């Protein structure tokens, strides 16, 4: 037997060492991963990416990449739904343009332009909702057909149409109020006074429209994915946007600029054809107007799915940042197709 007083009894470890089977101090027990890492065998790490985006807080580049990736992953569903909606709204805008009264002061042109803009706005809102299910499936790495997407969204169409109508009415009231005030001041006083009052009003109008454009970003998505009514979807969108207003506004504006450039490039051949058809005539011919409308529709079919994808991925990002939505998405990815 050793006469060293510091030798431990048989079966015991020297002082400062854990018993057999235990990890040294500062290390996790056997079977547990170090801090910041998932447990052994857990498949969902920080960079887990079952679909078009990694399931974590997203950067702007990842949002744009995902908005393009879901179109490539589901071209029939994304472009097919877009073509259907854009064709209907473009036809309505074309009819409104020719039905508008022809006046010397250009009122008919203004009415036609505003009608076309309203139709485009309605198409954008509807597509933001209808393409939501396509993007959501792509986030989980699953595909979807046009029929499946339609079955998922058709019950929410009344709410989407109601939201679209409400937004168009609010915007029309805001713009109309400012125009009426400026015209009234110009007639009561003079142009200089109207400009003095009108410039701040126009700036206030632009700020108000930008605010509504941003805080209502997620209302169509909430209607489809969360089954919210119109007012509930608006409230939900306000709540998600509240703490990330400028980020969402900046990304949406940049996405809109990129989409506008792409749509403009696509519509150039149609615009040239429209101008050729109108040579020698006092106004646009039916065939020329058809070419112009076809160019706008073609540009929308290409650009609208991208902007709709950006909106849905911003929604996913906002919920991940505020509600740890990535854990629900990981469970959905594990459940396989049809989980969304």
């Amino acid at each position: 037997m050793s006469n060293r007083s510091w030798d431990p009894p048989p079966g015991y470890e020297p002082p400062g060492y854990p018993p057999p089977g235990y990890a040294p101090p500062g290390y996790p027990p056997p079977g547990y991963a170090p801090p910041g890492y998932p447990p052994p065998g857990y498949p969902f790490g920080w960079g887990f990416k079952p679909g078009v985006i990694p399931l974590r807080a997203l950067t702007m580049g990842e949002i744009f990449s995902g908005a393009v990736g879901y179109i490539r992953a589901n071209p029939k569903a994304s472009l097919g739904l877009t073509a259907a909606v854009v064709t209907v709204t473009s036809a309505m805008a074309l009819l409104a343009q020719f039905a508008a009264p022809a006046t010397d002061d250009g009122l008919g042109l203004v009415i036609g332009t505003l009608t076309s803009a309203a139709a485009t706005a309605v198409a954008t809102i509807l597509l933001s909702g209808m393409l939501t299910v396509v993007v959501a499936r792509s986030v989980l790495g699953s595909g979807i057909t046009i029929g499946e997407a339609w079955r998922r969204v058709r019950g929410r169409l009344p709410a989407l149409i109601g939201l679209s109508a409400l937004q168009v009415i609010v915007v029309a009231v805001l713009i109309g109020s400012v125009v009426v005030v400026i015209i009234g001041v110009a007639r009561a006083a003079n142009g200089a006074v109207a400009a003095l009052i009108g410039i701040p009003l126009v700036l206030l109008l632009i700020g108000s429209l930008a605010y509504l454009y941003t805080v209502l970003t997620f209302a169509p998505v909430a209607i489809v994915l969360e089954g919210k009514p119109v007012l509930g979807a608006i409230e939900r969108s306000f709540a998600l946007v509240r703490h990330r207003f400028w980020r969402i506004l900046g990304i949406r504006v940049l996405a809109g600029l990129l989409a506008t450039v792409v749509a403009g490039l696509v519509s150039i051949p149609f615009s040239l054809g429209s101008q050729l058809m109108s040579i020698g005539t006092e106004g646009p011919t039916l065939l020329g107007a058809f070419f112009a409308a076809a160019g706008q529709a073609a540009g929308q079919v290409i650009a609208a799915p991208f902007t709709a994808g950006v909106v849905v991925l911003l929604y996913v990002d906002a919920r991940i940042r505020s509600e740890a939505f990535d854990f629900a998405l990981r469970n959905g990815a594990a459940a396989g197709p049809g989980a969304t």
Side-chain angles (χ1 to χ4, degrees), residues 53 58 139 312-321 325 329:
I53 57 169
L58 302 173
V139 168
V312 179
L313 294 180
L314 277 171
Y315 165 85
V316 172
D317 176 67
R319 290 195 63 183
I320 287 175
R321 293 174 184 269
F325 189 49
L329 292 174

Side-chain angles (χ1 to χ4, degrees), residues 44 48-56 66 70 73-74 132-144 152 225 312-313 316 320 325-340:
F44 305 135
F48 178 59
K49 185 179 178 181
V52 295
I53 57 169
L55 300 186
R56 53 170 171 76
Y70 96 92
N74 297 281
T132 292
V133 292
V134 183
V135 184
R137 283 290 186 88
S138 299
V139 168
L140 301 181
S142 304
I144 189 171
R152 289 291 305 274
L225 288 188
V312 179
L313 294 180
V316 172
I320 287 175
F325 189 49
D326 49 326
F327 290 101
L329 292 174
R330 291 168 181 178
N331 292 334
T340 306

Side-chain angles (χ1 to χ4, degrees), residues 57-67 247 250-252 254-255 258 306 310 313-314 317 321:
L58 302 173
T59 64
M60 183 179 69
E62 289 168 340
I63 290 174
F64 285 178
S65 176
R247 181 174 190 267
I251 291 177
R252 287 203 69 187
L254 182 56
L258 291 174
F306 172 74
V310 169
L313 294 180
L314 277 171
D317 176 67
R321 293 174 184 269

Side-chain angles (χ1 to χ4, degrees), residues 75-93 119 122-124 126-127 130-131 146-147 149-150 153 157 296-298 300-302 304-305:
K76 292 183 179 179
S78 57
L79 298 179
L81 285 174
T82 304
V85 173
V86 168
T87 299
V88 173
T89 54
S90 297
M92 294 172 56
V122 170
T124 301
L126 288 176
L127 285 171
M130 296 178 71
L131 292 174
I146 294 179
W150 172 248
V153 79
L157 277 182
Q296 293 178 356
Q300 274 192 279
V301 169
I302 299 299

Side-chain angles (χ1 to χ4, degrees), residues 42-241:
Y42 195 77
F44 305 135
W46 177 250
F48 178 59
K49 185 179 178 181
V52 295
I53 57 169
L55 300 186
R56 53 170 171 76
L58 302 173
T59 64
M60 183 179 69
E62 289 168 340
I63 290 174
F64 285 178
S65 176
V68 174
Y70 96 92
I71 301 173
R72 298 175 60 186
N74 297 281
K76 292 183 179 179
S78 57
L79 298 179
L81 285 174
T82 304
V85 173
V86 168
T87 299
V88 173
T89 54
S90 297
M92 294 172 56
L94 183 61
L95 291 175
Q97 179 180 349
F98 278 90
T103 58
D104 295 335
D105 57 2
L107 179 61
L109 178 61
V110 172
I111 293 176
T113 302
L114 291 177
T115 303
S116 178
T120 301
V122 170
T124 301
I125 297 169
L126 288 176
L127 285 171
S128 295
M130 296 178 71
L131 292 174
T132 292
V133 292
V134 183
V135 184
R137 283 290 186 88
S138 299
V139 168
L140 301 181
S142 304
I144 189 171
T145 64
I146 294 179
E148 291 174 331
W150 172 248
R151 285 191 294 272
R152 289 291 305 274
V153 79
R154 65 184 176 186
R156 308 305 303 155
L157 277 182
L160 287 172
I161 294 173
L163 175 67
S164 303
L166 180 61
Q167 289 188 247
V168 170
I169 291 172
V170 170
V171 170
V173 169
L174 288 174
I175 296 176
S177 300
V178 172
V179 171
V180 167
V181 169
I182 294 175
I183 293 177
V185 172
R187 290 181 176 178
N190 54 55
V193 176
L196 186 63
I197 296 177
I199 291 175
L201 280 179
V202 170
L203 293 178
L204 181 61
L205 173 65
I206 294 173
S208 300
L209 293 177
Y211 177 76
L212 290 176
Y213 173 78
T214 306
V215 297
L216 297 179
T217 294
F218 301 139
V221 186
I223 285 175
V224 175
L225 288 188
E226 301 184 28
K228 299 280 187 183
V230 174
L231 295 181
I234 292 174
E235 182 180 359
R236 175 66 164 154
S237 183
F238 268 78
L240 288 173
V241 172

